[in-house]
Amino acid sequence: MFRALAAAFLIASPAIGQTLDGPSGPIPVTRMADGLDGPWSFGFLPGGDVLITEKGGTLWRLSDGPKTEIGGVGPIEVIGQGGLLDVLVPRDFAESRQLYFSHSIRQGRGAGTALAVATLAEGADTLGDWRVIFEIEEGSQGGRHFGSRLVEGTDGLIYMTVGERGDRPSAQDLGRENGSVLRLTREGAPAPGNPFIGREGAQSAIWSYGHRNPQGAALDAQGTLWVSEHGAAGGDEVNRVAEGANYGWPVISYGTHYSGRPFEATAKPGMEQPAFYWDPSIAPSGLMIYSGALLPEWEGDFFTGSLKFGFISRLSGDPLEEVQRLEGPETARLRDIREGPDGAIWFLSEGQGALFRMAP
């Protein structure tokens, strides 16, 4: 089914002939879907169909014909950077039919980041039983820094990134989930064994904190969680997420504030250093750690998109270094990047309003 889908779009796509630089020469890039308005995320269903979210609240299904809208998306608070955000297709989807979505939700006079679950019956064109199963504590205002990527860990739990909502000090406040990576059960409860369970005044769902606005998250081959996150004018980071760790925002950071004022420090005891940082900022979004299935030279490399400059950044080595920037018209304001079921590299361009597939 997946090869049939790819072949059908290869025949019809207007993007045939476009390429990006691979390890052994140009790699063809194929436009798989277009006409998207504010696309934010995508995920693969068994059999090869693709789900695509738009920030305004639309969910699309891409199969072997034109994309079709999936109904049943619950109430979404579309505000600033918030809306319908990530989609997670869990490993047991074929049996459970469950899908998970992160989105912004109205909270009094403000808005917060929430997690919803819904079902998609086989052959259905509408979600069933949309339920919000988690939302951060109330108190956030404005429309900035919702996060919010979803990753299913090797433990079957859900890791959810949350931005500090533009409220910098909240990232150091364990009494709020702002600026954190959360670890949740499939029912949306704090996962057993979380590091701050039982600590007075701390939120039990927090796994790590001190993050600014993580909009990329992925597991490596060993099952370790990594995130990419926005800094200010400088200091975008890639971080290896560790249980209970403090990643320092806004106390430590590289680069400068938007005003040009330097940060208090770049390092302090008890605060983690990034595995890699950009200065000036590239505004990273989406994160993929590649298996090497179709391009073995890139096995284990990290890929993230640049919203600001419109390229794919490839990172490699230990310590991580940026070794390549893959750039073309297709990578404009790149929002998400993922490895497909057959090892192809798929990416979502907000600037193009399109989903692309890159494969030799």
Side-chain angles (χ1 to χ4, degrees):
M1 170 64 179
F2 183 82
R3 287 193 176 92
L5 166 65
F9 277 97
L10 280 166
I11 292 169
S13 169
I16 294 174
Q18 301 299 319
T19 62
L20 292 174
D21 291 335
S24 303
I27 301 177
V29 175
T30 305
R31 186 187 300 263
M32 305 302 288
D34 56 15
L36 300 169
D37 182 11
W40 213 90
S41 178
F42 64 100
F44 300 94
L45 296 176
D49 287 5
V50 184
L51 296 178
I52 308 169
T53 65
E54 290 180 344
K55 195 176 69 171
T58 302
L59 176 66
W60 295 104
R61 182 173 189 158
L62 179 66
S63 57
D64 55 359
K67 65 184 187 297
T68 57
E69 184 174 352
I70 299 294
V73 174
I76 304 292
E77 180 68 10
V78 181
I79 175 174
Q81 297 170 3
L84 178 60
L85 303 174
D86 210 4
V87 56
L88 169 64
V89 182
R91 290 186 291 271
D92 69 353
F93 172 78
E95 295 77 38
S96 72
R97 310 303 300 186
Q98 288 184 318
L99 298 168
Y100 291 84
F101 300 89
S102 65
H103 62 96
S104 50
I105 190 171
R106 169 61 58 180
Q107 294 179 323
R109 287 186 284 180
T113 303
L115 176 67
V117 64
T119 58
L120 182 63
E122 189 166 359
D125 59 4
T126 300
L127 297 174
D129 192 26
W130 176 283
R131 292 178 291 124
V132 174
I133 57 174
F134 177 86
E135 60 184 276
I136 66 171
E137 287 291 306
E138 292 190 24
S140 297
Q141 301 293 321
R144 293 191 293 161
H145 304 177
F146 289 89
S148 55
R149 292 294 174 187
L150 302 173
V151 171
E152 183 182 15
T154 55
D155 51 14
L157 299 170
I158 296 174
Y159 293 80
M160 175 177 175
T161 74
V162 180
E164 34 78 299
R165 297 291 286 103
D167 179 1
R168 293 196 298 257
S170 69
Q172 291 294 317
D173 181 359
L174 287 172
R176 301 175 69 184
E177 293 96 349
N178 299 36
S180 65
V181 174
L182 309 179
R183 184 171 173 258
L184 303 165
T185 69
R186 291 277 291 264
E187 293 73 41
N194 279 358
F196 303 110
I197 289 177
R199 180 182 293 194
E200 185 177 356
Q203 294 293 335
S204 298
I206 294 176
W207 183 251
S208 64
Y209 65 108
H211 301 279
R212 185 173 184 267
N213 189 23
Q215 289 193 348
L219 299 179
D220 64 18
Q222 289 72 47
T224 300
L225 179 67
W226 297 74
V227 299
S228 59
E229 57 187 280
H230 292 250
D236 297 339
E237 296 180 353
V238 175
N239 284 302
R240 181 182 187 275
V241 177
E243 176 184 356
N246 179 357
Y247 290 86
W249 178 259
V251 180
I252 64 170
S253 185
Y254 291 86
T256 63
H257 291 282
Y258 292 115
S259 66
R261 180 172 57 87
F263 289 97
E264 178 183 337
T266 56
K268 279 199 169 183
M271 295 182 176
E272 303 296 319
Q273 285 290 296
F276 181 81
Y277 69 90
W278 290 268
D279 183 22
S281 168
I282 68 164
S285 188
L287 184 65
M288 176 192 74
I289 304 174
Y290 188 57
S291 72
L294 291 184
L295 297 158
E297 300 94 333
W298 284 352
E299 182 180 355
D301 287 359
F302 289 57
F303 294 77
T304 191
S306 168
L307 290 169
K308 186 174 181 180
F309 297 116
F311 58 75
I312 300 171
S313 173
R314 181 168 71 89
L315 306 160
S316 189
D318 186 10
L320 282 177
E321 294 183 359
E322 185 180 69
V323 294
Q324 186 180 9
R325 291 182 170 183
L326 293 83
E327 186 172 5
E330 304 82 7
T331 60
R333 194 163 171 78
L334 199 143
R335 175 59 74 179
D336 198 9
I337 184 166
R338 301 181 185 241
E339 182 173 345
D342 66 346
I345 295 173
W346 293 60
F347 57 90
L348 192 60
S349 166
E350 188 176 303
Q352 290 279 349
L355 177 66
F356 295 94
R357 177 179 182 267
M358 173 180 173

